[in-house]
Amino acid sequence: MQLFLSGTACQGDERTGYTGYARFALLNLLKVLGLGRGDRILLPAYICDVVLLPLAELGIEPVYYGVTQDFQVEWDSVEVKPGSRAFISVNYFGVSQDFTAIADYCAAHNLVWVNDNAHGFASSLGGKSLEEFGDFSFTSFRKVLGSVNGARVRINNDRYLPLKGELDRLNGAAPPESRQRYLASATLRTAGIRLRALPDFSDPRGFCDDDVKAHQADVLALKQLAASDQDRIRQRRRQLYQTLELFLLANGGKEMLPLPRLLREGNSPLVLPVVTQDRNSWLGLMSAARRHGLDLHTWPSLPPTVLDHDVCGAATLWGRMLYLPLHQDLEPESYLPLLQKVLDAA
């Protein structure tokens, strides 16, 4: 991969541009598409609140649809209202979607298809990167590589290639992000030092984010990206996923059950999703994880409307699921005993 760097912009090939954060890439993408007040976008109710920030800034109304227990589109809940201009699909945790069904639906209703691949760096389907699906896609490689920041947006539909120049200009016009806090945090993490306890993930209002993070992609992050081995990352993460899955099937009982047959061939998992038995188990596991320093969390920080009204059952789904983050350098020999301690304590 060749990256062209300047003081004001980070540009890739004719289809791919770079920025600091996917939410900022989405904001700029909506701008170049000319979407604004009076327009609507279809997107899943089970969504991180930060995805709503670009819509709110531009006055775009979200129209929510539901997702199934295995994070696919719940088609019975999808409704195209007047003024609907785009459809956002999400590759949750690097899990691929039924892309053919989504493409057909968008074509039938004249919707721009935006493929949210924020979790899906190094993930593929049928030998094709998940970034290559949709009219547009955006990916947060920082979530997998642990870089200062780092996201990219890709134009897959030739019809929209003329927008690339303006999209790069908007992405590159933002200021750089300070590295000091990141480098200090990374140094402490490497030394095994945690300055504060893991947060209480049981209240999504406690970790909401209202910053669109308008920053350029950091040069160090782009170098880290260029040096990464996606095949190795994907293989390693799949191995870790399967190791944890087998461990929980043997030791987790009903407290922490992996979702069956979730990954498709080529998918690179960001986390291992697990279903809890009930709310008491859900709370007990998170409490035990905090005490033992295990990163076990909920996701996402739902939009307030979705949370308050359980739109499309998203809040109910949120209250049943927990996630074990994966990393390609995680070692099962030290991780599994810690996970066992959490299970025993809960």
Side-chain angles (χ1 to χ4, degrees):
M1 176 179 59
Q2 186 177 15
L3 297 174
F4 303 91
L5 309 179
S6 73
T8 59
C10 299
Q11 297 178 324
D13 57 30
E14 65 173 359
R15 296 186 181 275
T16 307
Y18 292 82
T19 186
Y21 295 85
R23 67 192 78 170
F24 184 53
L26 176 59
L27 172 63
N28 293 331
L29 172 58
L30 298 177
K31 285 181 178 179
V32 301
L33 286 171
L35 273 65
R37 195 164 304 279
D39 292 325
R40 288 172 163 147
I41 292 181
L42 283 72
L43 75 166
Y46 193 69
I47 194 75
C48 189
D49 63 326
V50 300
V51 178
L52 275 292
L53 296 177
L55 278 66
E57 182 166 330
L58 298 176
I60 300 170
E61 179 185 345
V63 178
Y64 295 111
Y65 62 82
V67 297
T68 63
Q69 295 294 314
D70 57 350
F71 307 112
Q72 300 292 312
V73 176
E74 179 59 71
W75 287 107
D76 290 343
S77 67
V78 180
E79 179 184 4
V80 176
K81 295 183 177 180
S84 297
R85 298 279 305 280
F87 184 102
I88 297 179
S89 61
V90 179
N91 303 326
Y92 293 98
F93 325 117
V95 174
S96 54
Q97 299 292 295
D98 186 345
F99 294 125
T100 299
I102 296 171
D104 290 346
Y105 189 88
C106 290
H109 294 89
N110 195 29
L111 299 172
V112 178
W113 175 15
V114 180
N115 171 24
D116 180 345
N117 189 51
H119 296 170
F121 177 72
S123 202
S124 63
L125 179 67
K128 184 176 179 180
S129 169
L130 297 193
E131 296 181 62
E132 298 179 52
F133 294 92
D135 294 318
F136 301 88
S137 70
F138 53 88
T139 301
S140 292
F141 56 85
R142 69 181 180 89
K143 295 179 183 294
V144 174
L145 299 181
S147 52
V148 177
N149 63 26
R152 60 189 180 194
V153 57
R154 191 176 196 275
I155 302 174
N156 297 310
N157 188 330
D158 291 351
R159 171 186 174 187
Y160 298 110
L161 279 176
L163 302 178
K164 175 68 160 49
E166 178 63 7
L167 188 57
D168 283 341
R169 187 191 70 80
L170 291 172
N171 285 335
E177 185 171 18
S178 172
R179 293 179 187 163
Q180 292 180 347
R181 182 172 60 86
Y182 165 82
L183 292 175
S185 176
T187 300
L188 291 172
R189 286 199 307 270
T190 302
I193 301 172
R194 188 187 297 276
L195 292 181
R196 59 182 181 179
L198 290 167
D200 181 1
F201 289 109
S202 64
D203 181 3
R205 293 177 177 85
F207 55 96
C208 289
D209 190 351
D210 59 1
D211 185 357
V212 76
K213 292 191 179 295
H215 295 292
Q216 296 179 24
D218 189 272
V219 175
L220 289 180
L222 293 170
K223 289 181 177 179
Q224 192 171 343
L225 170 66
S228 65
D229 183 341
Q230 293 193 44
D231 290 337
R232 176 193 172 274
I233 289 171
R234 180 170 54 252
Q235 180 182 20
R236 179 63 173 161
R237 283 176 171 266
R238 288 181 67 90
Q239 290 173 345
L240 290 167
Y241 184 102
Q242 292 163 358
T243 298
L244 289 177
E245 184 178 43
L246 290 173
F247 177 84
L248 288 175
L249 288 173
N251 301 281
K254 296 181 180 179
E255 302 295 321
M256 193 183 285
L257 288 173
L259 295 174
R261 299 178 296 279
L262 182 63
L263 291 186
R264 301 182 185 182
E265 185 63 34
N267 288 180
S268 180
L270 184 72
V271 299
L272 174 69
V274 295
V275 183
T276 59
Q277 186 176 14
D278 51 37
R279 182 166 180 80
N280 286 336
S281 296
W282 185 78
L283 290 169
L285 285 164
M286 280 191 287
S287 176
R290 284 198 307 275
R291 292 198 305 272
H292 289 280
L294 177 70
D295 189 4
L296 175 70
H297 58 73
T298 56
W299 189 92
S301 49
L302 293 170
T305 297
V306 173
L307 187 66
D308 293 340
H309 301 286
D310 196 17
V311 177
C312 297
T316 298
L317 179 62
W318 184 90
R320 296 186 61 222
M321 301 300 304
L322 291 173
Y323 301 96
L324 289 162
L326 303 176
H327 191 277
Q328 49 270 24
D329 294 325
L330 185 152
E331 294 297 337
E333 292 78 10
S334 58
Y335 188 86
L336 294 180
L338 180 59
L339 179 55
Q340 185 64 64
K341 287 182 180 180
V342 171
L343 290 170
D344 292 342

